Amino acid sequence: MKLFALLPLLASMATESGASPITKREVPQELSHKKYLTATQQSLQLNNPDKIQDPVFGLLGNAAAAAGAGSITNLDCLQQATADQAFTNAKAAGDVDGMTAALVYRSIERNTGKVGLKSVTCTEVAKNPEIAALKQHQDPASDGAAAENKAITLELARQIASVGGDPLTALDAGTFSPGDLNDNTGKGNTCDVADDAEGCIFTQNLLVPDATEAEITAAISAGGGAAAAPAAGNANANDAA
């Protein structure tokens, strides 16, 4: 699902979360779950050997993601690499909220070029098994998305519980209602508000839960399992957003 809002950031400006100044970029950004991007950035910057500029780049198409990927060359894995390093840092600090935010961030839907198009699956293995167990949500209008995204949310709940977090937080990784496959704008039923610190998917009540609280409780009780792997594709290879 592609978002078209533009957020110009001048070279003299630093990100809200204290990252290094971002120079000369103006790209579409996925900011709907902003509080989790902010928290992930805070953990990431504690130790950022790959010099990833900001978690938002991991949610963009590859053409735009390259500008903030640092030394990460497999852009289909930038979201995972960002979450993995942030999780590592939060774990070292004993920060359960930071670990939880990194897990949620890893599971957020990544932009693609049109409504109904799935994003590419990262085939590399994350350093942290909690991150390795997760995949990103897929466009809700894509084939099999309801079952796929539900499986991802239930696995996310298990991983959050394993680090001592509230498993119901997994519901926050959900996405929007399905868009119209004939929508040529590619926007779907999304939002993208730069100055909404909470995240517009929450403040505008646009999030569609993938599972019920009872299903999450049952998944935690059952334990085990892994998120259904989204079908691989080429959605992000040349996507400018």
Side-chain angles (χ1 to χ4, degrees):
M1 189 176 293
K2 186 174 181 180
L3 305 181
F4 287 90
L6 297 180
L7 178 63
L9 295 178
L10 302 178
S12 60
M13 294 175 62
T15 63
E16 293 179 9
S17 52
S20 300
I22 298 175
T23 58
K24 297 182 180 179
R25 73 179 176 91
E26 185 175 11
V27 295
Q29 297 195 22
E30 168 63 277
L31 296 170
S32 57
H33 298 70
K34 190 173 182 181
K35 64 181 178 180
Y36 290 106
L37 276 69
T38 300
T40 298
Q41 173 74 330
Q42 290 171 345
S43 294
L44 175 66
Q45 295 304 324
L46 294 174
N47 180 28
N48 186 12
D50 293 314
K51 301 189 184 305
I52 297 167
Q53 198 169 97
D54 191 284
V56 74
F57 286 97
L59 302 180
L60 303 178
N62 289 353
S71 62
I72 302 299
T73 57
N74 184 349
L75 297 176
D76 290 328
C77 292
L78 178 57
Q79 182 181 8
Q80 176 177 283
T82 301
D84 206 21
Q85 187 61 50
F87 185 92
T88 293
N89 296 345
K91 184 176 181 180
D95 182 358
V96 172
D97 289 342
M99 287 187 283
T100 298
L103 292 167
V104 172
Y105 165 78
R106 175 62 187 100
S107 304
I108 294 173
E109 181 187 352
R110 186 183 177 200
N111 292 355
T112 59
K114 66 178 183 178
V115 173
L117 186 61
K118 292 187 177 185
S119 58
V120 176
T121 303
C122 174
T123 57
E124 296 179 0
V125 179
K127 294 178 293 184
N128 294 286
E130 298 89 348
I131 297 294
L134 300 173
K135 310 289 183 183
Q136 71 269 25
H137 273 67
Q138 293 295 342
D139 188 302
S142 62
D143 290 342
E148 192 169 319
N149 288 342
K150 182 175 183 177
I152 290 167
T153 291
L154 295 179
E155 182 60 34
L156 173 59
R158 284 189 282 265
Q159 296 306 324
I160 291 174
S162 76
V163 301
D166 179 0
L168 294 180
T169 306
L171 293 171
D172 283 356
T175 189
F176 303 89
S177 61
D180 182 352
L181 293 175
N182 296 315
D183 177 5
N184 292 326
T185 70
K187 188 177 186 297
N189 298 318
T190 66
C191 66
D192 194 42
V193 181
D195 60 359
D196 189 333
E198 181 76 4
C200 56
I201 196 170
F202 306 116
T203 59
Q204 296 182 26
N205 296 316
L206 296 175
L207 187 145
V208 178
D210 297 305
T212 65
E213 292 187 7
E215 287 172 326
I216 286 180
T217 299
I220 298 302
S221 298
N234 60 0
N236 298 94
N238 297 302
D239 180 11

